[in-house]
Amino acid sequence: MPTPLRFATCFTLLACALAPLSGRTLPQPPTPAEQNLWKQQGRTLPVPEAQQPTLDPALPAYVPRRDIELSGHFKGAASDVLALLTKQWIAAFQKYYPKVVLDVPPPYAGSLGALELIKGDLQFVMVSRELKPTDISGFAEKFGYPPFSAPISGGTYRHFGFLDAIAFFVHPDNPLRQLTFDQIDALYSTTHHRGGGAITTWGQLGLTGEWADKPVHLWGVKPWNGFEEFIRQRALSVGAKRGEWRPDIHFTETVFPISPAVAADRYALGYAGLAYIGDDVKLLSLGVKTGGPAVAPGIEEVYQARYPLSRLVFFNTNKRPGQPLDPVLEEFLRFLLSREGQQVVLDQATFVPLRAGQADASRALLK
């Protein structure tokens, strides 16, 4: 277990989380005033990364429908980080279909998922997180089937609050260079759906010498949270089998204290969004399968969707399995997944456009 005195200040008003770390100031939790403003206007866009992604040339061009005239008024909702992008998508789509009205009024909130569709006054929700169990169970209890959820954009590389990619990291003295999803499951879960037993020491991860018998001090975000849900779904869960966290993880209420905590403990391992990670910890490359390639959390790896903990933006709606969507909503989704739809993402210079294979996978969900 970590020495309590070394971490006491990290939990005192998040003092450690708010301090500059090795030349880079980490983000601060938003104030109530900022949160209220975001609900009405959406979040202020971050300064674009100096290195921008490119559009995948294999994305299909959008071909508007000419066999029928699309029209109607549809109401949706959007996460606060997606408010502006959603409006830009709608404006571009309406150039093809001027008789279609897609209305996405405030309030905007990062907590939006699928439960908002239950009341029936919304036809779609633009969501900046994965669906959590209560989204799926609450929706299924009402309709008898799960909500339709399709990725429509990548997240970001390291923009605070804008679905930054997630990385695992250790103290800079630690010689470990990479982890696999199998090892993350063995370290962090009680369920071990990926097989194998629990990993509790650095020696079990291949380290030798003074590190071999030292315990791994695990850090993570307390459930429920979008960061831990993403890790749980990607690394701890397999198919319909949901992974469960070990109870002895050092859980924090928010993601902010984790990087400072790991920087202060030679034997710590933690995860956070790249925007929340200081320069005084060491990032690990990640491999999905044991024996497979390990990918570093670099900007180009995120842009090319090669890094396995890159995030996604989702379009959620009510679609009965085996039945088509309303033609307007289906065409809107097809536009989002086209070259022109992803060009809107690229032009905004915040989120990462989908690669062609990702767009193909989302389009296949319509069948």
Side-chain angles (χ1 to χ4, degrees):
M1 298 292 286
T3 305
L5 291 178
R6 298 180 70 182
F7 295 100
T9 54
C10 289
F11 294 101
T12 304
L13 301 178
L14 297 180
C16 288
L18 308 185
L21 292 181
S22 301
R24 188 165 75 89
T25 302
L26 294 186
Q28 300 185 15
T31 66
E34 287 175 322
Q35 292 176 321
N36 289 333
L37 183 63
W38 294 344
K39 287 181 181 179
Q40 297 305 313
Q41 301 180 6
R43 292 205 190 198
T44 303
L45 295 183
V47 176
E49 295 281 356
Q51 180 181 339
Q52 285 291 299
T54 57
L55 206 63
D56 190 337
L59 284 165
Y62 180 66
V63 179
R65 293 194 65 169
R66 303 301 185 195
D67 55 325
I68 61 172
E69 183 179 63
L70 295 182
S71 63
H73 189 163
F74 298 80
K75 185 178 180 182
S79 164
D80 54 3
V81 302
L82 297 175
L84 180 57
L85 179 59
T86 299
K87 292 175 183 178
Q88 292 169 331
W89 265 329
I90 290 172
F93 181 70
Q94 287 177 324
K95 291 179 180 179
Y96 297 101
Y97 307 104
K99 293 186 178 181
V100 171
V101 176
L102 299 173
D103 188 22
V104 184
Y108 308 111
S111 60
L112 294 176
L115 294 180
E116 293 76 16
L117 297 167
I118 292 177
K119 297 179 181 178
D121 57 341
L122 297 178
Q123 284 76 55
F124 64 95
V125 185
M126 312 294 262
V127 179
S128 57
R129 62 170 176 81
E130 291 69 32
L131 291 175
K132 56 185 177 180
T134 52
D135 285 312
I136 298 172
S137 61
F139 187 95
E141 184 177 343
K142 174 70 179 291
F143 298 105
Y145 51 87
F148 177 90
S149 186
I152 51 174
S153 168
T156 71
Y157 172 55
R158 57 175 180 184
H159 286 318
F160 165 55
F162 283 77
L163 282 95
D164 46 329
I166 296 177
F168 281 80
F169 47 92
V170 294
H171 189 277
D173 290 348
N174 194 314
L176 190 71
R177 299 179 61 186
Q178 63 188 49
L179 280 175
T180 66
F181 278 15
D182 291 346
Q183 291 171 324
I184 293 170
D185 180 45
L187 282 159
Y188 275 88
S189 84
T190 59
T191 41
H192 305 314
H193 292 315
R194 292 180 175 271
I199 292 178
T200 59
T201 68
W202 290 106
Q204 291 173 283
L205 293 171
L207 300 192
T208 59
E210 65 165 305
W211 292 87
D213 63 348
K214 297 299 188 295
V216 182
H217 301 156
L218 299 173
W219 288 81
V221 189
K222 181 180 178 180
W224 190 90
N225 179 280
F227 288 104
E228 65 85 17
E229 180 66 27
F230 181 73
I231 298 297
R232 186 200 296 254
Q233 289 189 18
R234 287 295 180 95
L236 273 60
S237 302
V238 176
K241 297 185 292 184
R242 182 170 172 81
E244 299 296 339
W245 298 106
R246 274 175 53 175
D248 57 342
I249 296 169
H250 296 279
F251 285 119
T252 58
E253 294 292 335
T254 69
V255 71
F256 293 91
I258 296 179
S259 179
V262 173
D265 180 6
R266 294 183 81 227
Y267 306 117
L269 169 68
Y271 65 83
L274 287 173
Y276 306 80
I277 301 174
D279 297 335
D280 49 0
V281 295
K282 185 172 78 173
L283 300 178
L284 300 177
S285 297
L286 293 180
V288 175
K289 296 181 179 179
T290 301
V295 181
I299 190 168
E300 192 61 27
E301 283 67 34
V302 172
Y303 286 172
Q304 296 293 325
R306 292 191 293 258
Y307 181 63
L309 294 183
S310 302
R311 308 291 296 281
L312 293 166
V313 170
F314 294 87
F315 175 91
N316 292 345
T317 190
N318 185 345
K319 179 184 181 300
R320 184 179 293 276
Q323 299 296 317
L325 273 178
D326 179 282
V328 170
L329 293 182
E330 178 169 338
E331 208 57 26
F332 182 48
L333 182 54
R334 290 188 184 280
F335 168 75
L336 299 180
L337 298 173
S338 72
R339 185 185 310 159
E340 289 76 6
Q342 294 304 299
Q343 183 68 51
V344 175
V345 180
L346 185 66
D347 290 345
Q348 193 197 52
T350 299
F351 293 95
V352 179
L354 293 177
R355 308 303 294 171
Q358 294 175 301
D360 291 344
S362 290
R363 204 176 298 109
L365 297 174
L366 287 169
K367 298 177 181 178

